[in-house]
Amino acid sequence: MVQHILTPTDGSDPSIHAIEQATEIANPSDATIHALAVIPEMTRGAKAQEEWDERVTDALERAHEIADREGLEYEQAKLNGPVAREIVDYATEHDIDLIVMGTHGRSGLHRFLVGSVTRRTIETSPIPVVTVPPEE
């Protein structure tokens, strides 16, 4: 039975959609939602750090509102570092049963150059990862 679901968030529409899907999965077993926001290690400078901090704080607040609306237990964390690694490390350290995360639907050259946090998470996670495509 799923008791702890991790849903990474950056405040984007796909990550918010993933949180909504995670609450649907969590409801039958009354699982705890863990929202995780990771500030990428490439963030340099006080202004960029401040902007990311504000963005992820808003994202975590939104995640809390969604979990609260569904009456689910909620935990949150804000970390700095390589995003996929921080997601997998958090999941391992907190006995997470399932990771639910959004995809941005990128393809082609952009995906090749930028890489995919979701893909790297799937490749390195010892627990199941459910991907949620963007809403159309």
Side-chain angles (χ1 to χ4, degrees):
M1 184 186 301
V2 175
Q3 292 297 309
H4 296 275
I5 299 173
L6 172 60
T7 182
T9 184
D10 60 5
S12 65
D13 289 342
S15 71
I16 297 301
H17 185 55
I19 292 165
E20 291 167 345
Q21 294 296 307
T23 62
E24 287 185 32
I25 296 168
N27 268 322
S29 62
D30 203 28
T32 300
I33 297 291
H34 294 252
L36 173 64
V38 180
I39 298 172
E41 64 183 344
M42 66 187 173
T43 306
R44 303 265 193 256
K47 184 166 178 57
Q49 182 74 25
E50 184 178 316
E51 288 171 2
W52 262 101
D53 191 56
E54 188 174 306
R55 177 179 175 176
V56 299
T57 298
D58 291 346
L60 290 170
E61 187 174 302
R62 180 68 199 271
H64 189 204
E65 290 170 4
I66 293 168
D68 195 46
R69 178 183 70 215
E70 297 297 322
L72 295 168
E73 293 282 325
Y74 174 82
E75 294 186 24
Q76 71 178 33
K78 185 182 343 179
L79 301 171
N80 294 299
V83 180
R85 187 178 77 206
E86 293 295 339
I87 292 168
V88 172
D89 287 352
Y90 181 95
T92 303
E93 293 166 7
H94 291 86
D95 295 322
I96 299 298
D97 301 304
L98 180 68
I99 299 171
V100 178
M101 60 192 304
T103 62
H104 287 276
R106 294 187 182 115
S107 61
L109 182 61
H110 186 264
R111 181 178 178 139
F112 176 75
L113 293 174
V114 176
S116 168
V117 170
T118 303
R119 179 183 49 79
R120 287 191 303 273
T121 302
I122 291 167
E123 291 171 353
T124 59
S125 177
I127 63 168
V129 179
V130 172
T131 61
V132 179
E135 284 186 300
E136 293 191 20

